[in-house]
Amino acid sequence: MSTSISYSLKSKNSFAVEATTQQLLFPSSYEDLLALPCFDQNEFYILGEGSNTLFTDTTAPIIISPNFTGIEITETQSSYFVKVGASENWHNLVQYCISNRLYGLENLALIPGSAGAAPVQNIGAYGVEFSDFCFEICWFEFESKTVKVLNKHSCQFDYRESIFKSSLYNKGLIISITLKLPKKWQANLSYHGLNSLPSSATAEDVMGKVIELRESKLPNPKKLPNAGSFFKNPIVTLVKLDKLKAIYPEMPFYPQADKQVKLAAGWLIEQCGLKGYRMKSVGVHDKQALVLVNYSSNTGKDIVDLARYVQASVNEKFAIKLQPEVKVVTASGEVMFDNLEI
Ligand code: EPU
């Protein structure tokens, strides 16, 4: 297994902030996994492509960066099964599937990150979530040093949530994911923005439109460092919605199960006058207020200060506390944003 001593992570996080780690491990085989030292749960952090991670200190914990590649396709009469190594790039996978006429993932085009990170936060966009196509996940458990196979139900998927963020957090790592793509395909045009497409739209048309929409709103991390949506869209009760609607009748909302609704965090932030706002050398993106961008800062602390300001502003105006969807990592491991001590 490759290792490196005192390694800069600046090129390994899409916010492009500086943080160094004393140990970077790239397991790429079952033997490598068996050879991993037994670390304490908060001593290390599992890093995919770093597109949803904010390092807040100049030092980072030990980094384990899985390096499992390969795509295998099998089929039954009704479905294709696509088994993908955790470190394959997600968007390359989507393109690979579409160009091989395996349809279903087109709404999830251009989402940054690795295939292995997709189930962790149950990536989602344009009316589709990873969980819609998840069949099973191969996961290496550190303690027993065995590979477990979790079916979709066991993964406990929810909006930007899974078991890998909760009870299995840092207890193992994802080696591969298997997707189930039904052969009987139907375009999912439910999300606003896609309803301009005709009902005869092909998967290629949908993917093209999704790419066009994303490129028009979301900054390319290679040109303007960012981690996509910084905050999750908040979920509130119908009672809270009614109160807010009385004051802001034009507020967008999306009904959920259990008498709850999801609000649009980008809209809330924009109503606070923060779209395009700049603080030091970081800011709120001027085309999508849910995205925080790094113009030229070297330190994650600047993003933290901005995020706290945004959080406080939304809380003051709407009495809603936004929670980051980005993972916040200090020198001593991942922490809840509200528990950050810097
Ligand atoms: N809106 C504003 N101002 C803004 C941004 C949004 O008023 O600055 C309004 C829009 O007009 C719209 C609503 O908010 O009415 C929702 O906006 P949008 O469709 O852009 O989606 P979002 O809720 O802001 C979510 C995901 C994105 C995903 C899009 C499209 C989360 C946290 N974010 O954003 O995912 O691409 O939907 O499906 O759920 C990501 O996770 O990194 C990400 C980019």
CSV table of all heavy atoms in Angstrom, one decimal, residues 7 13 51 104 115 129 132 190 202 211 240 266 273 304 308 316 325:
chain,number,residue,atom,x,y,z
A,7,TYR,N,1.9,15.1,4.1
A,7,TYR,CA,1.4,15.3,2.7
A,7,TYR,C,0.5,16.4,2.7
A,7,TYR,O,-0.4,16.6,3.6
A,7,TYR,CB,0.7,14.0,2.4
A,7,TYR,CG,0.3,13.8,0.9
A,7,TYR,CD1,1.1,13.0,0.1
A,7,TYR,CD2,-0.8,14.4,0.4
A,7,TYR,CE1,0.8,12.8,-1.2
A,7,TYR,CE2,-1.1,14.2,-0.9
A,7,TYR,CZ,-0.3,13.4,-1.7
A,7,TYR,OH,-0.7,13.2,-3.0
A,13,ASN,N,-8.7,18.6,-1.8
A,13,ASN,CA,-10.1,19.0,-1.3
A,13,ASN,C,-10.5,20.1,-2.3
A,13,ASN,O,-9.7,21.0,-2.6
A,13,ASN,CB,-10.0,19.4,0.1
A,13,ASN,CG,-9.3,20.8,0.4
A,13,ASN,OD1,-9.9,21.8,0.4
A,13,ASN,ND2,-8.0,20.7,0.5
A,51,SER,N,-14.6,16.4,-2.4
A,51,SER,CA,-15.5,17.4,-3.0
A,51,SER,C,-16.6,17.7,-2.0
A,51,SER,O,-17.5,18.5,-2.4
A,51,SER,CB,-16.1,16.9,-4.3
A,51,SER,OG,-16.7,15.7,-4.1
A,104,GLY,N,-30.6,5.6,-16.5
A,104,GLY,CA,-31.2,5.8,-15.1
A,104,GLY,C,-30.4,6.8,-14.3
A,104,GLY,O,-31.0,7.6,-13.5
A,115,ALA,N,-17.5,7.3,-6.7
A,115,ALA,CA,-18.6,6.4,-6.6
A,115,ALA,C,-18.8,5.9,-5.1
A,115,ALA,O,-19.9,5.8,-4.6
A,115,ALA,CB,-18.4,5.2,-7.5
A,129,GLU,N,-32.2,10.3,-6.4
A,129,GLU,CA,-31.2,10.1,-5.3
A,129,GLU,C,-30.4,8.8,-5.6
A,129,GLU,O,-31.0,7.9,-6.2
A,129,GLU,CB,-31.8,10.0,-3.9
A,129,GLU,CG,-32.3,11.3,-3.4
A,129,GLU,CD,-32.8,11.2,-2.0
A,129,GLU,OE1,-33.1,10.1,-1.5
A,129,GLU,OE2,-32.8,12.3,-1.3
A,132,ASP,N,-32.2,5.5,-5.1
A,132,ASP,CA,-33.1,5.0,-6.1
A,132,ASP,C,-32.6,3.8,-6.9
A,132,ASP,O,-33.3,3.0,-7.4
A,132,ASP,CB,-33.6,6.1,-7.0
A,132,ASP,CG,-34.3,7.2,-6.3
A,132,ASP,OD1,-34.9,6.9,-5.3
A,132,ASP,OD2,-34.3,8.4,-6.8
A,190,SER,N,-39.4,15.2,-13.3
A,190,SER,CA,-40.3,15.8,-12.3
A,190,SER,C,-39.7,17.1,-11.7
A,190,SER,O,-40.5,18.0,-11.3
A,190,SER,CB,-40.4,14.8,-11.1
A,190,SER,OG,-39.2,14.4,-10.6
A,202,THR,N,-34.8,11.5,-24.5
A,202,THR,CA,-34.0,10.4,-24.3
A,202,THR,C,-33.1,10.6,-23.0
A,202,THR,O,-33.0,11.7,-22.6
A,202,THR,CB,-33.0,10.1,-25.5
A,202,THR,OG1,-32.1,11.3,-25.6
A,202,THR,CG2,-33.8,10.0,-26.8
A,211,ILE,N,-26.6,18.7,-17.3
A,211,ILE,CA,-25.3,19.3,-17.4
A,211,ILE,C,-25.4,20.8,-17.7
A,211,ILE,O,-24.7,21.6,-17.0
A,211,ILE,CB,-24.4,18.6,-18.5
A,211,ILE,CG1,-24.1,17.2,-17.9
A,211,ILE,CG2,-23.1,19.4,-18.8
A,211,ILE,CD1,-23.3,16.3,-18.9
A,240,LYS,N,-44.8,25.3,11.0
A,240,LYS,CA,-43.7,26.3,10.7
A,240,LYS,C,-43.9,26.9,9.3
A,240,LYS,O,-43.8,28.1,9.1
A,240,LYS,CB,-42.3,25.6,10.9
A,240,LYS,CG,-41.2,26.5,10.5
A,240,LYS,CD,-40.7,27.3,11.7
A,240,LYS,CE,-39.6,28.2,11.3
A,240,LYS,NZ,-39.2,29.2,12.3
A,266,GLY,N,-31.1,27.8,-0.4
A,266,GLY,CA,-30.6,28.9,-1.3
A,266,GLY,C,-31.5,30.1,-1.3
A,266,GLY,O,-31.0,31.3,-1.3
A,273,GLY,N,-30.2,38.7,1.7
A,273,GLY,CA,-29.3,39.6,0.9
A,273,GLY,C,-27.9,39.2,0.7
A,273,GLY,O,-27.0,40.0,0.5
A,304,VAL,N,-15.4,28.7,7.4
A,304,VAL,CA,-16.2,28.5,8.7
A,304,VAL,C,-16.8,29.9,9.1
A,304,VAL,O,-18.0,30.0,9.5
A,304,VAL,CB,-15.3,28.0,9.8
A,304,VAL,CG1,-16.0,28.0,11.1
A,304,VAL,CG2,-14.8,26.6,9.4
A,308,ARG,N,-20.8,30.5,9.4
A,308,ARG,CA,-21.4,30.9,10.6
A,308,ARG,C,-22.2,32.2,10.4
A,308,ARG,O,-23.3,32.3,11.0
A,308,ARG,CB,-20.3,31.2,11.7
A,308,ARG,CG,-19.8,29.9,12.3
A,308,ARG,CD,-18.8,30.2,13.4
A,308,ARG,NE,-18.4,28.9,14.1
A,308,ARG,CZ,-17.2,28.7,14.5
A,308,ARG,NH1,-16.3,29.6,14.4
A,308,ARG,NH2,-16.9,27.6,15.1
A,316,GLU,N,-31.6,34.4,12.2
A,316,GLU,CA,-32.2,35.7,12.8
A,316,GLU,C,-33.5,36.0,12.0
A,316,GLU,O,-34.5,36.4,12.5
A,316,GLU,CB,-31.2,36.8,12.6
A,316,GLU,CG,-31.6,38.0,13.4
A,316,GLU,CD,-30.5,39.1,13.3
A,316,GLU,OE1,-29.3,38.8,13.5
A,316,GLU,OE2,-30.9,40.2,12.9
A,325,GLU,N,-24.1,20.4,4.9
A,325,GLU,CA,-24.0,19.0,4.4
A,325,GLU,C,-22.6,18.7,4.1
A,325,GLU,O,-22.2,17.5,4.0
A,325,GLU,CB,-24.9,18.9,3.1
A,325,GLU,CG,-24.4,19.5,1.9
A,325,GLU,CD,-24.7,18.6,0.7
A,325,GLU,OE1,-24.2,17.5,0.7
A,325,GLU,OE2,-25.4,19.1,-0.2
